[in-house]
Amino acid sequence: MGNISITPYGKTRVMGIINVSPESFYKGSIIRQEDDIQDTIIRMQDQGVDIVDVGGMSTAPYLKTLVPKDLESKRLHNAISAIRQISNIPISVDTARSDVIRSLLKLEVNAINDVTGLKYDKKMPGLAYEHDLPVILGAYLSDRENLYGDGDIQDTSSLLAESIRIAKKSKIDDDKLIIDPSIGFFRKEGFNQFYSKTQGMDWYVRDIDIIANIKLLTSLKKPICVSISRKSFIGSLFGLDVEDRLIPSIIAEMYSVMKGASLLRTHNVKETRQAIEMLEMIR
């Protein structure tokens, strides 16, 4: 991803989050002004970030946040342009829409973070192959897939395997694929097309079950990305507001690293980097 290697058994990488969508669930990650974006990038780099993930539209299942593609593209274009004025840090774009990615190609974006695992937009696999872009494949249950389970670790592994097959069919190189179990995106009900509708266990139980069993995803032989930071399942389990979820986030991230995760997508770059360094000292 850019000049950063991400492998199943290599150095643990930190992906910082910048949201330019005012509707995002964690207001501390929302940065919209050019100067603020640049200041944030400088601070993240000082704190040890490896990659930045920039999002222009929240895909949280419980929010009514769908915006037109043109608006998503405009938000991202402004943010990435601001970053590129001061930094060549690898940039991942958090979107499931190929037209959005295509509008940003001249800005030297380095990866696609597709929460639907190349299943929502049928043009996305071809675009990734055409422009040799790595893809973070989110676990996603599309309408055509015959699965009516809980989204547990076995279901999640099957969904990710299907996304890997889609990528291979489009001739995307194996070493450009990263898998993400999509913490927070499996719900019984939602307000957009980017979450997975499941039955059975409650969503927050599903999320903690995925983290507890994340080692099983190593059987797919791909780097594992986890996006746990301040997510809603922590609030549901402990009754914590988003501002108070740092410690559970870090503990869950470090457990995931111990069990095979290679990339941590986080709102808390400084704390996550420090935790990784401590873990490396004592392992």
Side-chain angles (χ1 to χ4, degrees), residues 70-81:
D70 289 348
L71 177 55
E72 184 184 7
S73 295
K74 180 180 179 181
R75 290 173 173 177
L76 289 166
H77 189 281
N78 292 343
I80 296 170
S81 295

Side-chain angles (χ1 to χ4, degrees), residues 101-102 105 109 126-134 176:
I101 293 291
R102 193 173 294 279
L105 291 172
V109 297
L127 181 69
Y129 169 73
E130 178 185 354
H131 294 278
D132 201 29
L133 288 171
K176 293 191 178 300

Side-chain angles (χ1 to χ4, degrees), residues 11-262:
K11 182 178 180 180
T12 305
R13 301 296 187 178
V14 176
M15 172 184 278
I17 300 170
I18 289 182
N19 286 316
V20 288
S21 48
E23 63 273 7
S24 292
F25 84 96
Y26 179 45
K27 302 311 177 186
S29 71
I30 300 170
I31 309 151
R32 305 193 69 192
Q33 300 301 316
E34 180 177 304
D35 290 350
D36 293 336
I37 291 169
Q38 292 175 340
D39 289 346
T40 299
I41 289 294
I42 292 169
R43 183 176 68 252
M44 283 184 175
Q45 289 182 302
D46 289 343
Q47 293 172 346
V49 79
D50 297 298
I51 304 150
V52 175
D53 191 49
V54 185
M57 178 183 71
S58 175
T59 50
Y62 52 87
L63 297 176
K64 295 181 179 180
T65 53
L66 185 67
V67 300
K69 287 185 284 188
D70 289 348
L71 177 55
E72 184 184 7
S73 295
K74 180 180 179 181
R75 290 173 173 177
L76 289 166
H77 189 281
N78 292 343
I80 296 170
S81 295
I83 295 169
R84 282 291 175 249
Q85 290 175 28
I86 62 164
S87 177
N88 62 356
I89 190 168
I91 295 175
S92 167
V93 180
D94 182 2
T95 185
R97 303 197 280 197
S98 63
D99 289 344
V100 172
I101 293 291
R102 193 173 294 279
S103 73
L104 303 170
L105 291 172
K106 292 182 180 179
L107 298 178
E108 299 180 41
V109 297
N110 302 104
I112 302 166
N113 181 8
D114 184 348
V115 297
T116 73
L118 300 176
K119 296 174 184 176
Y120 171 76
D121 186 335
K122 305 309 178 187
K123 297 178 182 178
M124 190 71 94
L127 181 69
Y129 169 73
E130 178 185 354
H131 294 278
D132 201 29
L133 288 171
V135 184
I136 300 173
L137 301 167
Y140 178 70
L141 176 60
S142 66
D143 292 340
R144 65 182 176 79
E145 288 172 303
N146 185 22
L147 176 66
Y148 298 97
D150 299 327
D152 62 13
I153 195 68
Q154 288 80 20
D155 293 344
T156 298
S157 182
S158 296
L159 293 170
L160 289 167
E162 174 61 17
S163 287
I164 292 169
R165 285 191 289 271
I166 292 169
K168 287 184 176 180
K169 187 176 180 180
S170 297
K171 302 181 181 179
I172 300 172
D173 289 344
D174 266 353
D175 63 1
K176 293 191 178 300
L177 302 177
I178 299 167
I179 57 174
D180 183 333
S182 296
I183 300 298
F185 283 89
F186 283 69
R187 303 280 175 129
K188 294 178 182 179
E189 301 293 338
F191 296 106
N192 59 51
Q193 297 174 288
F194 307 108
Y195 80 101
S196 298
K197 188 175 179 64
T198 60
Q199 302 175 0
M201 71 172 73
D202 288 327
W203 58 271
Y204 56 89
V205 177
R206 180 263 174 189
D207 286 347
I208 198 70
D209 177 73
I210 293 299
I211 297 168
N213 293 286
I214 200 164
K215 184 176 177 62
L216 296 178
L217 297 182
T218 60
S219 64
L220 296 174
K221 303 186 185 304
K222 296 288 181 289
I224 299 169
C225 171
V226 293
S227 182
I228 294 170
S229 171
R230 300 183 185 269
K231 287 283 181 79
S232 297
F233 80 95
I234 297 173
S236 293
L237 291 170
F238 295 103
L240 295 174
D241 292 335
V242 64
E243 293 82 7
D244 299 321
R245 298 173 190 170
L246 175 61
I247 292 175
S249 296
I250 296 294
I251 292 171
E253 287 175 346
M254 293 309 103
Y255 179 86
S256 299
V257 171
M258 292 172 65
K259 298 300 180 179
S262 304

